């Protein structure tokens, strides 16, 4: 059995070095991260100590941990010339991580180059992460279509993660995670229904943070003339930062087969009880059976 966490972040030395080489957001000054639209963030160096993180994964009973580029820092939205050194540093570091780590590839979404992304995927990445605000409408799906076509061709999944927060850095530290990130995931969920799934019928996709709880709005969708989308076995949501109340509600809306464990470590912690109070069968589904279907398509 393989217990999987599909959503963690681990900044390797190569990525840290590349971020410190910059003088405009996103950049690191020591271990202080500067972004547009968010207050400066002090990063505990221990959060990105590879050996320590492997020990934590073992303590959590995880056999595989998928890490990804932190999409809110905005690398994917930089012009290609600025994004490429950071993307290369991320891919080089992530590809060299020891067990139990695997990784999602990343791609520039401002200047799409599917051939470059194909070469990155050739290095053994589990699939591709894209920022939710790059897939928020029909135009986003048209722009990113070459990347999504590539995933379908290779039978690899897409991971939709919040992108950069837009707004002022004057708000409380929790504001980006609670407002723009959730809004992006909500929009991303419905944009996939409206524009993504019709265009990419074979694509498997996982939405971070329970898709911002967008699936709970199904009754309102029906009331406003939309149709519930039943039984899409290629759509998943992961659990990061949520607990039993939200997970139980999502299971009621989507079924137990749509949920996979994601923790967002080091920004949040894996659950103490992997079944979120729903029992051992749910824990098996969230950490073993459902991640296997997401990542391989095999039931």
């Amino acid at each position: 059995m393989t217990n999987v966490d599909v959503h963690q972040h681990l900044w390797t030395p190569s990525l840290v070095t590349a971020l410190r080489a910059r003088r405009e957001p996103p950049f690191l000054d020591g271990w202080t991260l500067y972004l547009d639209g968010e207050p400066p963030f002090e990063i505990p160096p221990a959060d990105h100590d590879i050996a320590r993180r492997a020990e934590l994964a073992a303590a959590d009973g995880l056999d595989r941990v998928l890490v990804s580029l932190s999409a809110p820092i905005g690398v994917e939205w930089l012009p290609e010339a600025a994004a490429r050194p950071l993307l290369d540093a991320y891919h080089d570091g992530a590809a060299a991580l020891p067990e139990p780590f695997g990784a999602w590839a990343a791609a520039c979404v401002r200047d799409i180059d599917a051939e470059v992304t194909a070469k990155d995927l050739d290095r053994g990445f589990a699939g591709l992460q894209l920022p939710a605000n790059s897939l928020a409408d029909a135009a986003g799906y048209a722009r990113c279509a070459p990347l999504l076509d590539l995933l379908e061709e290779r039978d690899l999944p897409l991971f939709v993660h919040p992108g950069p927060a837009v707004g002022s850095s004057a708000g409380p530290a929790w504001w980006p995670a609670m407002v723009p990130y959730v809004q992006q995931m909500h929009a991303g969920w419905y944009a996939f229904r409206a524009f993504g799934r019709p265009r990419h019928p074979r694509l498997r996709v996982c939405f971070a943070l329970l898709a911002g709880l967008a699936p709970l709005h199904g009754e309102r969708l029906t009331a406003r003339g939309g149709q519930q989308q039943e039984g899409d076995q290629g759509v998943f949501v992961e659990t990061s930062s949520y607990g039993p109340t939200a997970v139980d509600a999502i299971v009621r809306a989507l079924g137990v087969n749509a949920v996979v464990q994601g923790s967002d470590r080091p920004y949040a912690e894996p659950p103490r009880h992997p079944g979120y109070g729903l029992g051992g069968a749910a824990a098996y589904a969230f950490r073993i059976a459902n991640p296997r279907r997401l990542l391989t398509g095999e039931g």
Side-chain angles (χ1 to χ4, degrees):
M1 294 190 298
T2 300
N3 289 273
V4 182
D5 185 322
V6 304
H7 179 196
Q8 294 194 17
H9 301 284
L10 178 54
W11 291 11
T12 61
S14 59
L15 178 59
V16 169
T17 298
L19 285 167
R20 286 177 178 163
R22 291 178 52 82
R23 294 295 178 265
E24 298 179 353
F27 73 94
L28 278 173
D29 182 358
W31 283 100
T32 304
L33 178 65
Y34 290 86
L35 304 177
D36 287 325
E38 297 197 29
F41 182 71
E42 294 295 329
I43 297 174
D47 284 351
H48 300 285
D49 181 282
I50 295 171
R52 175 178 177 271
R53 291 289 297 278
E55 292 173 356
L56 290 174
D60 291 331
L62 294 169
D63 304 299
R64 192 178 189 201
V65 173
L66 297 183
V67 300
S68 67
L69 183 63
S70 298
I73 71 178
V75 170
E76 296 96 330
W77 281 105
L78 294 172
E80 172 66 19
R84 184 47 46 192
L86 294 168
L87 291 171
D88 287 345
Y90 164 72
H91 289 121
D92 289 345
L97 285 170
E99 295 293 339
F101 300 107
W104 298 94
C108 180
V109 295
R110 181 166 172 173
D111 303 308
I112 301 290
D113 191 334
E115 292 185 4
V116 170
T117 299
K119 293 177 181 178
D120 290 330
L121 289 170
D122 286 340
R123 302 176 69 177
F125 288 89
L128 178 65
Q129 174 188 275
L130 292 178
N133 56 356
S134 72
L135 296 170
D137 52 25
Y141 272 96
R143 183 179 62 253
C144 293
L147 300 176
L148 305 183
D149 289 341
L150 174 65
L151 292 177
E152 283 190 296
E153 290 168 6
R154 298 195 174 199
D155 195 28
L156 292 175
L158 168 70
F159 182 39
V160 182
H161 187 288
V166 177
S168 170
S169 61
W174 49 260
W175 184 268
M178 292 305 301
V179 182
Y181 293 179
V182 173
Q183 290 172 338
Q184 286 185 38
M185 297 311 302
H186 184 108
W189 174 263
Y190 285 105
F192 180 75
R193 290 172 59 103
F195 313 113
R197 178 52 88 210
R199 188 165 190 156
H200 302 281
R202 296 182 292 107
L203 182 65
R204 297 190 305 279
V205 57
C206 180
F207 292 87
L209 53 110
L210 297 179
L213 301 183
L216 302 186
H217 293 269
E219 294 163 329
R220 180 174 173 82
L221 174 68
T222 300
R224 296 292 178 155
Q227 294 183 347
Q228 295 275 23
Q229 188 170 355
E230 304 290 345
D232 190 333
Q233 297 299 306
V235 175
F236 302 82
V237 295
E238 62 85 22
T239 57
S240 59
S241 298
Y242 285 102
T245 300
V247 173
D248 178 79
I250 288 291
V251 167
R252 291 174 183 272
L254 297 179
V256 73
N257 293 332
V259 179
V260 298
Q261 179 180 310
S263 65
D264 201 22
R265 178 176 271 164
Y267 308 110
E269 294 298 313
R272 290 186 178 181
H273 305 289
Y276 290 87
L278 299 176
Y284 181 88
F286 298 166
R287 289 183 37 147
I288 298 174
N290 297 347
R292 181 171 61 239
R293 289 192 300 107
L294 167 65
L295 297 173
T296 70
E298 297 176 0

